[in-house]
Amino acid sequence: MIKNSALLIIDVQEAMFSKDTPAHNGDECLEKIKRLAEKARRKGIPIIYVQHQSSEENDPLEEGSPGWEIHSSIKPEKEDWIIAKETPNAFYKTKLHSELKKMGIVHLVICGVSTEMCVDTTCRSAYSLGYDVILVKDAHTTWDSPHLNAQQIIEHHNKVLSSWFVELQAAEDINFDFSESQINSEVTE
């Protein structure tokens, strides 16, 4: 087992799964992320929660509000990391990159919300920083847009991101037993 891997869970917060504006296949996505976290814990793989926070009053993700909380179905445990962010990029103006480097992490398994914003941006940034990235193709979600429905957005981003930036794997296929040959990144400063 390779200990230089981590599970990165992006913006899986209560507001993202509200009854008023539920994410596409939200319950299914939450269940897959929960199982991924359980597998990671059994293997001793670090879990990093990225938590979007808004400074705007009455924003559903306003820091400290009920919607801002990590979703109750996947609550972090004491050994897990929580990284706060204010933009779609989990690396921009956060401690994520420096914390991953301290832990010797070079391989990231990414899942979360929302496909075309924070998941996409973070995958591209991770690749640009030299991380090997697996995007869990069935454990990220979003909402319908005026131009595409959520499933089309997810499929489109899986295709685009896998053409250059990530390897795609289904949640059930991820076991966190990466071989040395799969870890070939050199993470940049």
Side-chain angles (χ1 to χ4, degrees), residues 168-180:
L168 291 178
Q169 285 190 23
E172 69 181 36
D173 296 333
I174 294 176
N175 59 18
F176 297 98
D177 285 331
F178 306 112
S179 68
E180 288 293 340

Side-chain angles (χ1 to χ4, degrees), residues 45 67 81 89 104 136 152:
I45 300 296
W81 290 81
N89 184 349
V136 187
Q152 290 170 317

Side-chain angles (χ1 to χ4, degrees), residues 45 82 92 103 107 144 151:
I45 300 296
I82 299 175
Y92 182 67
M103 294 188 296
H107 194 88
D144 291 345
Q151 187 59 43

Side-chain angles (χ1 to χ4, degrees), residues 82-146:
I82 299 175
I83 300 289
K85 72 171 181 59
E86 296 179 350
T87 71
N89 184 349
F91 291 96
Y92 182 67
K93 294 185 178 181
T94 72
K95 301 181 294 183
L96 179 59
H97 185 52
S98 63
E99 293 300 328
L100 292 172
K101 286 182 64 160
K102 279 187 216 172
M103 294 188 296
I105 303 297
V106 297
H107 194 88
L108 295 174
V109 175
I110 296 178
C111 57
V113 181
S114 76
T115 299
E116 73 278 20
M117 294 292 288
C118 302
V119 172
D120 176 273
T121 306
T122 299
C123 284
R124 291 170 190 257
S125 292
Y127 171 84
S128 296
L129 290 167
Y131 293 95
D132 283 323
V133 180
I134 289 177
L135 175 59
V136 187
K137 67 182 180 180
D138 54 351
H140 61 93
T141 190
T142 192
W143 298 264
D144 291 345
S145 80

Side-chain angles (χ1 to χ4, degrees), residues 41-86:
R41 284 191 179 94
R42 283 194 301 271
K43 299 280 185 166
I45 300 296
I47 300 172
I48 300 153
Y49 291 81
V50 177
Q51 186 176 29
H52 192 88
Q53 62 186 32
S54 173
S55 57
E56 293 181 32
E57 195 172 324
N58 298 319
D59 185 289
L61 295 175
E62 180 182 1
E63 184 177 359
S65 71
W68 168 80
E69 297 291 336
I70 302 291
H71 196 276
S72 59
S73 69
I74 61 157
K75 279 225 176 269
E77 294 186 5
K78 65 179 180 174
E79 68 273 8
D80 299 333
W81 290 81
I82 299 175
I83 300 289
K85 72 171 181 59
E86 296 179 350

